[in-house]
Every structure is written in structure tokens, then in C-alpha cells.
């Protein structure tokens, strides 16, 4: 295949290219396995959409499934492995995925999801009872070099919406290298700044865009180490042992690293690090100061969203001069615009709704939701991702609040509508509002404010949280329930979530 890493397979076949908690594969092994994955995918009827879903925890196989899909001209759909079978089935059906790949941890839910979605083939690694065994499927596939003239297809990512229904969005042009063929695509990927460094560490779950980028680095010859569920000391051990040069982390990772005992922190060297991409959420100023003091000025913050990619960026040196900022706009985004409630632009230093100007005119695109696309735009090419902030006289952007309902816990976006839809169905509940409240570890935690039909016979927190857990992934469920007399709906039925959040936060800030 035209894998740029093929020269690694020929020149350094035994050098470890891909390592996870169980296996270590050399370049020759990776090259051969990818040929088989691509050829096996070509042997399947994937329909017009040409999509396969990957519903699995981090592993070497997860990497190979996504990368094999990319090289086969297939769009892979990362599915959060915390989701219930019903939640996963919706994504599989909505994306029109013809195949669902799972690991042993998600096999039972994957089979149920496929049954609900209908007409979906389930393939599983390390699962002898699976309908299609990954290992046998690859062994039966041709090992010949597959074609490379197919056009690459972007991942389809799912973000929950304010209606509670997840929205599928293709990786935007800024995050997808494009190209008319796989060869052109890989050549473009190789020009990415992070591809110029050495071994990359995948820390977060690969259903997020940041961690998923590790598989693209493997395609252009960068060795990668894939960790399972986050463990702070294991991250330090991996950085030290494998001389990690790059990784992607969120603020919760930083906080858990800083909470390690002093002995654990000093026992492992981190001097090999050259670039740590920080994404997912704004980082508390004291945490960021401490991380720069420990790891050095190796951080580059990326502020944006799955729908549009990175909008603003800031280096460690810049951040020390503008602490708390998420940076300045980077191409194709030309400037940040702050407006008041009437949509009028306000001066530098004035807080308001944040919009960004896209020189391409694209802005935000929700492929299956034109109303949501329109609502995100002030005018063509000027869009918002739902936050409040200000811009200083140097053009640096600061986030102070959120006017969308979204909660960000541990770098993961949670939309209250999903839990609200479950709770309101309880026969003792008259109304509900779900909000984010302060959490020292995750930044924000989910709390449900519940209005009972009869205050003397209110449902218990255990009942409502248990009900949510029957229908939703655990991370979407409230950690606490508070019985209230009203959630403050106005005459039009609207709730001011910012006002509901305010009593729980110090000062004027009402997000993590």
C-alpha cells in the first residue's frame, strides 16, 4: 500500500510501531495487518454511505480498524464505548454504518445495538463467540497490496444536541487533510506539525477527535503508544519508558497528574516531551501554571469544536503573557467578534456572545440539521459554538461563560436534554432542568433540579439517577438531584440555565 510508513517496514521492520497494554507490533507487522484490513473491507458490501462504526475501548485493534478504514476509502464512525446499546444503535442506524467493530468489553452491547439497528455485521477482536472474529477475518483476507487511488473519507463524529438527539458531523476541512486519493491524503498528513516529532502517546479515549489523531500519525511513520483507561502514574511511566515526544491531554488529565504523590512525579522523567496539545476545555490558571513549571513550555492549546476544528491556538510562552486566554484565531478563521444580546459588536474587553469569522464562508455545518446550522450563524461565515467571553486589544480570546446548555465534564461534552428527557418521564416529576455545577476534578458535574408533582411525595435521588442509568451512559447521568419548587420557566417555556447555574459558582463565572 502507499502507506508512507512502508519505508519504515522495509528499513526498520522490527522497530515497534504500535504498542498498547497487550501487544507491541513492528512496522512490518503493522504494514501487513493494514493490507489485510483494507482488503477485507473491500470485500464487504458497505453500501452507498461506505461507513463502519467502531465501538471499542482503546487498543491496537481499535487503531487498525480506524486506520484500515481510512486507507480503504471508508468513513469510520467512532462510538463512545460508555454508551448503552440503545444509544449506540441510534448512531449505527443514523450513520448508515454497515459494520460494527467491537472489543470484548463492548461485545454484548454491540450485539444488542446491531440487533436494534438492523442489518449490521458485528466483528469483534479477542471474542471467540463473536459472529465475525477479527483475527479469523484478517487471516482469511488477501495480503496483497490494496489499491491507493480511492478518495479518502472523513470520520463521522457524533455530538449530542440540545434536542437530545446526537448529530453526526463530518470532520471539517481543517481537521481532515483531504486529497483526491489515499496517496495525496497521506502526503498532506505528513506536513502536519505534530507529525514532525517522535513517538506519540494516546491518552484519551479514541472516540474523541484528539486521541483519534494518533492513528493518522501512525500512517505517516510516527510510532504510537496507546493507553487504556486513564491512569496518571501509568501515563508518566509511558512518557519515561518510551521517550514520548507528543500527546494530547485535557485539563482533568493535568489535575490528576498534579495530584500524584511527589515521589511518583519525580520518579519519572518527562524531559522527552516536545509538544503537548491541550484541548477539550479551558484549564484553570493555577493548574496550567503548575504544568508548565513541571513539563516545561511544551503546551499548545487548541480551542474549537468537532464541528469546526481548532479556532484559536496559544503557545505556553504566549499563555504566560496572557494567562487564561485560549489564544488568537488561526487560519482559516480571521477574527473573534463579541456581540451583545441585540447582535451588535462590542468593544475590546467587553463580555458578550463570541462569534468567529471564517474566511472560507463555511462556518459550522450540521449535515442533518439545517435549523441548527442556521441558528449558529450571526451571518454567513460568522458562527458561534455557544460561548460567552471577551477579546483583549491584542486579539486574545477569553472564555467566561456559556450561553448554550452544554456541560463540559473532564473534557467531555454533555447535553442536559438527554437526562431531562428521561427524568421528565418519571410519573412523579412535573418539571426538570439539568445544569453543570463546580467539580474539583472534572471542572463541572451534572446536577438535576427537579420539580415534583407533589412535594410531599417527591421521587428520591436514587430513583431518578437509577432511571437515567437504565437509559443513558453513566457520564451523562446526574451525580446529584435537588428538589426545587420551580426551574424558572418564562411565559414562552424557556429556562435561563445561566441564572440557574449562578448560585453554585463563585463570582460571575458559571462554567468550569
Amino acid at each position: 500500500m502507499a502507506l508512507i510508513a512502508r519505508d519504515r517496514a522495509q528499513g526498520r521492520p522490527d522497530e515497534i510501531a504500535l504498542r498498547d497494554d497487550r501487544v507491541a507490533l513492528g512496522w512490518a507487522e503493522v504494514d501487513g495487518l493494514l493490507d489485510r484490513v483494507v482488503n477485507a473491507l473491500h470485500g464487504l458490501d458497505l453500501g452507498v454511505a461506505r461507513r463502519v462504526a467502531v465501538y471499542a475501548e482503546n487498543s491496537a485493534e481499535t487503531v487498525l480498524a480506524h486506520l484500515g478504514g481510512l486507507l480503504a476509502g471508508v468513513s469510520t464512525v467512532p462510538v463512545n464505548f460508555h454508551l448503552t446499546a440503545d444509544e449506540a444503535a441510534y448512531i449505527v442506524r443514523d450513520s448508515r454504518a454497515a459494520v460494527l467493530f467491537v472489543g470484548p468489553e463492548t461485545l454484548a452491547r454491540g450485539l444488542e445495538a446491531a440487533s436494534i439497528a438492523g442489518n449490521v455485521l458485528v466483528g469483534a477482536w479477542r471474542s471467540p463467540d463473536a459472529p465475525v472474529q477479527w483475527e479469523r477475518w484478517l487471516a482469511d483476507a488477501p495480503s496483497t497490496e490494496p489499491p491507493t487511488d480511492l478518495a479518502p473519507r472523513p470520520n463521522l463524529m457524533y455530538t449530542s444536541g440540545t434536542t437530545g438527539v446526537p448529530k453526526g458531523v463530518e470532520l471539517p476541512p481543517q481537521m481532515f487533510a483531504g486529497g483526491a486519493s489515499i496517496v495525496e491524503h497521506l502526503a498532506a498528513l505528513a506536513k502536519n506539525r505534530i507529525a514532525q516529532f517522535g513517538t506519540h502517546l494516546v491518552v484519551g479515549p479514541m472516540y474523541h477527535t484528539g486521541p483519534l489523531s494518533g492513528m493518522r500519525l501512525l500512517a505517516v511513520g510516527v510510532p504510537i503508544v496507546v493507553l487504556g483507561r486513564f491512569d496518571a502514574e501509568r501515563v508518566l511511566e509511558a512518557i519515561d519508558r518510551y521517550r514520548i515526544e507528543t500527546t494530547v491531554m485535557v485539563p482533568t488529565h493535568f489535575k490528576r497528574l498534579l495530584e500524584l504523590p511527589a515521589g511518583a512525579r519525580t520518579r519519572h522523567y518527562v524531559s522527552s516531551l516536545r509538544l503537548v496539545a491541550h484541548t477539550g476545555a479551558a484549564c484553570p490558571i493555577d493548574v496550567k501554571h503548575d504544568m508548565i513549571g513541571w513539563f516545561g513550555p511544551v503546551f499548545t492549546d487548541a480551542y474549537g469544536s468537532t464541528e469546526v476544528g481548532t479556532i484559536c491556538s496559544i503557545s505556553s510562552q504566549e499563555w504566560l503573557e496572557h494567562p487564561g486566554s485560549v489564544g488568537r484565531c488561526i487560519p482559516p478563521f480571521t477574527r473573534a467578534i463579541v456581540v451583545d444580546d441585540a447582535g451588535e459588536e462590542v468593544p475590546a474587553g467587553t463580555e458578550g456572545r463570541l462569534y468567529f469569522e471564517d474566511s472560507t464562508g463555511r462556518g459550522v455545518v450540521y449535515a442533518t440539521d439545517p435549523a441548527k446550522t442556521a441558528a449558529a450563524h450571526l451571518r454567513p461565515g460568522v458562527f458561534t459554538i455557544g460561548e460567552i467571553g471577551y477579546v483583549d486589544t491584542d486579539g486574545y480570546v477569553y472564555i467566561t461563560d456559556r450561553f448554550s446548555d452544554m456541560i463540559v465534564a473532564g473534557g467531555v461534552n454533555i447535553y442536559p436534554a438527554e437526562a431531562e428527557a428521561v427524568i421528565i418521564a418519571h410519573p412523579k416529576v412535573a418539571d426538570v432542568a439539568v445544569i453543570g455545577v463546580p467539580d474539583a476534578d472534572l471542572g463541572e458535574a451534572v446536577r438535576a433540579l427537579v420539580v415534583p408533582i407533589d412535594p410531599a411525595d417527591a421521587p428520591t435521588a436514587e430513583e431518578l439517577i437509577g432511571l437515567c442509568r437504565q437509559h443513558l451512559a453513566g457520564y451523562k447521568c446526574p451525580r446529584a438531584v435537588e428538589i426545587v419548587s420551580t426551574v424558572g420557566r418564562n411565559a414562552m417555556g424557556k429556562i435561563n440555565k445561566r441564572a440557574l447555574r449562578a448560585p453554585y459558582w463563585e463570582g460571575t463565572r458559571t462554567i468550569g
Side-chain angles (χ1 to χ4, degrees), residues 368-382:
T368 60
D369 195 336
K372 187 174 182 180
T373 299
H377 289 82
L378 186 65
R379 54 182 180 269
V382 179

Side-chain angles (χ1 to χ4, degrees), residues 293-450:
W294 179 13
F295 280 19
V298 297
F299 297 90
T300 295
D301 294 16
Y303 167 75
S305 71
T306 300
E307 296 90 332
V308 294
T310 300
I311 302 169
C312 299
S313 182
I314 189 169
S315 68
S316 294
Q317 292 86 347
E318 289 176 288
W319 187 90
L320 290 170
E321 296 169 4
H322 301 268
S325 173
V326 296
R328 292 191 288 188
C329 290
I330 63 172
F333 309 108
T334 53
R335 69 181 181 119
I337 300 168
V338 181
V339 303
D340 59 22
D341 289 342
E344 297 297 323
E345 193 166 344
V346 298
T350 305
E351 185 183 76
R353 296 190 174 208
L354 271 170
Y355 284 80
F356 300 93
E357 193 169 63
D358 183 352
S359 63
T360 70
R362 179 183 185 272
V364 177
V365 177
Y366 297 93
T368 60
D369 195 336
K372 187 174 182 180
T373 299
H377 289 82
L378 186 65
R379 54 182 180 269
V382 179
F383 67 94
T384 184
I385 56 175
E387 291 181 312
I388 292 171
Y390 65 93
V391 182
D392 67 18
T393 54
D394 295 321
Y396 285 88
V397 176
Y398 296 77
I399 308 300
T400 60
D401 212 324
R402 190 178 299 123
F403 65 83
S404 69
D405 288 352
M406 184 175 67
I407 299 166
V408 181
V412 178
N413 293 349
I414 301 169
Y415 287 82
E418 294 188 83
E420 289 169 346
V422 173
I423 292 171
I424 197 63
H426 192 285
K428 295 182 180 181
V429 172
D431 205 353
V432 60
V434 171
I435 61 172
V437 299
D439 184 88
D441 183 39
L442 300 175
E444 295 181 71
V446 181
R447 177 178 291 242
L449 308 180
V450 174

Side-chain angles (χ1 to χ4, degrees), residues 86-283:
D86 282 337
E87 292 171 312
Y90 171 82
I91 292 174
V92 172
R93 183 171 56 245
D94 187 72
S95 67
R96 294 183 292 163
V99 179
L100 178 63
F101 288 121
V102 299
E105 304 89 353
T106 52
L107 175 60
R109 281 177 288 148
L111 290 171
E112 185 180 351
S115 175
I116 295 168
N119 198 30
V120 177
L121 180 70
V122 178
W125 38 83
R126 290 178 272 120
S127 302
D129 297 328
V132 175
Q133 296 176 33
W134 170 267
E135 295 80 7
R136 173 54 55 192
W137 184 64
L138 292 189
D140 291 343
S143 59
T144 52
E145 187 173 328
T148 58
D149 56 352
L150 296 168
R153 294 170 60 86
N155 299 103
L156 187 70
M157 314 295 292
Y158 273 79
T159 62
S160 294
T162 53
T163 61
V165 180
K167 307 296 183 186
V169 293
E170 289 189 340
L171 280 186
Q174 193 202 19
M175 299 177 70
F176 187 70
S181 67
I182 301 300
V183 174
E184 288 185 14
H185 181 73
L186 294 174
L189 277 179
K191 297 177 182 177
N192 192 302
R193 181 190 172 205
I194 199 169
Q196 313 310 311
F197 297 110
T199 305
H200 179 80
L201 180 66
V202 176
V203 170
M206 294 184 69
Y207 52 75
H208 287 310
T209 53
L212 189 61
S213 66
M215 65 92 176
R216 299 185 191 94
L217 292 175
L218 181 68
V220 296
V222 177
I224 67 170
V225 176
V226 180
L227 297 184
R229 299 204 180 192
F230 184 83
D231 178 275
E233 187 155 9
R234 288 191 62 242
V235 169
L236 293 184
E237 289 171 354
I239 292 171
D240 188 356
R241 179 179 303 172
Y242 304 119
R243 296 295 183 263
I244 299 298
E245 294 194 16
T246 65
T247 190
V248 178
M249 293 188 187
V250 301
T252 298
H253 295 150
F254 298 156
K255 193 167 189 306
R256 292 182 182 176
L257 286 165
L258 289 167
E259 288 172 348
L260 286 171
R265 289 177 53 186
T266 57
R267 186 161 53 246
H268 303 289
Y269 291 100
V270 296
S271 56
S272 61
L273 286 170
R274 299 177 64 189
L275 174 62
V276 177
H278 157 218
T279 187
C283 187

